[in-house]
Amino acid sequence: MIDTIFEIFKSLIVDDDVKKALVQQGYAEHLANIVSSSNNAAEDESVKERMQSAADMIVMLLTEDDSMKVLFDDDEHCIKLVEQGVHVQLLQLLARTTKRENMGRHQQAVFSALKNLAMPAVNKLKLVESGCLDVILPLLSIQSPFVQFKVLGTLRMLLTGHENYYPKFRECGIIQTLIKMIKTEGVNPQTCYNAMAVLESFSLQEYFRRDLEVAGLNKALDDLTKHENENVKKRALIILTRVKAHKFSQE
C-alpha cells in the first residue's frame, strides 16, 4: 500500500502547484522521517527502495523555487528541519548524486537546501559536525563551474558563524585548496572570482589570517591583478587592498 501511494505522489509531484501544496502540508518532513527511520533496516530490499523513493521525492520537491521558499520560509522552520536531521539526509543525497549521470538537477536542489539550512547561526555548527565539509569539498575537483559555484556559496554561508568550528576548516585544508584553485592556469573566471570571495570571507576572521599569509594569498592575489578577465582583475585588487590595509592597521 505504501509503495502504491509513493508511486501516485511521484506522478503528481511533476506539477509545481502540487509540490507547493505538499510542502505546505509538511510532506517533505514526513519523507525525511521515512529516510531517517529506514536507515536501520537498510538490508531489506523493499525498505531500501522505499527509502530511495522518499529521498528522490524530497529532491523533486526542492527543485521548485516556490516549494523551496515555503520549506525554508523562516529561521525557525530551518532550525526544526535540522533538528529532525534533514541536513544529514541531504548530505547523503549529495554524496550519492555524484555517481549519477543527471547530477546537475539533484545537486542544485541539495545545495540550495543546504545553503538555506545554514542561514540560522545555530544550524551552522550542526552542518559542519555532520560532515558537510567532507561531502562538499571534494566536489570542487569536478570541472563544472556550476557545481563549484554551489560549493563556494555554501562555504561562504557556513563561514558566517561562530569560531567554535573554525578548526574544522583548518583541518580540511580548504584555504590551501582555494588558493591552489585561483592559481591554476585556465580556471574558469567565475569560479576564480567566487573562490576569491570565499578567501576574502576567511580574511575577515582573525583566526585564519596567519593561515592565509603562510599559504601565499597575497602573492596569488597580486598575480591575479594581471588576469585577462577584468572582473577577476578588479576583485583581486580590491581584496588585496583590503587585506594589506587591515595588516597595516594592526601594526
Side-chain angles (χ1 to χ4, degrees):
M1 176 64 73
I2 294 178
D3 294 332
T4 302
I5 294 174
F6 267 138
E7 290 304 315
I8 293 173
F9 274 121
K10 267 190 175 181
S11 64
L12 293 174
I13 276 180
V14 296
D15 185 281
D16 287 345
D17 289 334
V18 174
K19 289 181 184 180
K20 189 188 304 185
L22 289 173
V23 172
Q24 289 173 330
Q25 295 300 316
Y27 191 62
E29 291 107 311
H30 178 64
L31 289 172
N33 287 335
I34 290 176
V35 174
S36 180
S37 62
S38 299
N39 283 342
N40 295 328
E43 297 303 318
D44 187 313
E45 284 300 320
S46 63
V47 174
K48 284 174 66 176
E49 290 180 9
R50 191 174 302 157
M51 180 176 67
Q52 186 60 55
S53 294
D56 287 342
M57 289 172 74
I58 291 174
V59 173
M60 291 174 71
L61 286 173
L62 294 177
T63 55
E64 201 279 310
D65 288 342
D66 286 335
S67 295
M68 188 82 75
K69 291 174 184 176
V70 172
L71 192 57
F72 305 110
D73 58 352
D74 57 41
D75 281 2
E76 185 176 344
H77 201 175
C78 288
I79 292 169
K80 179 182 177 183
L81 288 171
V82 168
E83 288 175 348
Q84 293 178 334
V86 170
H87 63 299
V88 176
Q89 309 309 324
L90 290 171
L91 288 171
Q92 292 175 352
L93 283 172
L94 186 58
R96 286 203 295 270
T97 58
T98 60
K99 302 175 183 178
R100 299 183 179 182
E101 292 181 6
N102 183 26
M103 63 182 182
R105 179 178 66 84
H106 285 78
Q107 286 184 327
Q108 180 180 9
V110 176
F111 269 119
S112 296
L114 287 173
K115 189 174 180 180
N116 280 284
L117 289 176
M119 287 182 180
V122 296
N123 282 357
K124 298 179 193 294
L125 179 59
K126 292 180 181 178
L127 263 71
V128 172
E129 289 182 334
S130 296
C132 185
L133 296 177
D134 296 330
V135 173
I136 69 175
L137 290 183
L139 299 180
L140 283 175
S141 63
I142 295 177
Q143 297 305 309
S144 165
F146 166 75
V147 174
Q148 292 169 337
F149 171 76
K150 290 295 185 179
V151 173
L152 294 170
T154 304
L155 280 173
R156 288 189 73 185
M157 185 60 67
L158 289 171
L159 261 174
T160 58
H162 197 278
E163 63 181 25
N164 278 356
Y165 59 82
Y166 283 175
K168 291 281 188 180
F169 285 95
R170 178 176 283 169
E171 291 166 12
C172 70
I174 180 58
I175 287 176
Q176 291 77 7
T177 298
L178 292 176
I179 291 179
K180 181 180 179 180
M181 176 179 285
I182 66 175
K183 290 169 65 177
T184 301
E185 186 175 349
V187 67
N188 180 276
Q190 188 61 49
T191 297
C192 185
Y193 185 95
N194 292 328
M196 284 193 291
V198 177
L199 286 166
E200 182 179 22
S201 295
F202 275 112
S203 73
L204 297 175
Q205 311 299 331
E206 186 66 38
Y207 182 91
F208 296 110
R209 289 198 179 115
R210 178 59 180 165
D211 299 72
L212 293 167
E213 185 177 340
V214 171
L217 176 62
N218 286 12
K219 176 63 169 62
L221 291 173
D222 188 55
D223 290 342
L224 287 174
T225 60
K226 308 174 187 67
H227 199 280
E228 60 183 18
N229 183 281
E230 285 298 318
N231 289 331
V232 170
K233 187 187 299 183
K234 290 177 182 177
R235 188 66 173 176
L237 183 59
I238 291 171
I239 298 175
L240 183 60
T241 301
R242 288 175 179 170
V243 170
K244 287 184 175 181
H246 179 80
K247 183 177 180 179
F248 179 77
S249 69
Q250 300 298 308
E251 293 176 351

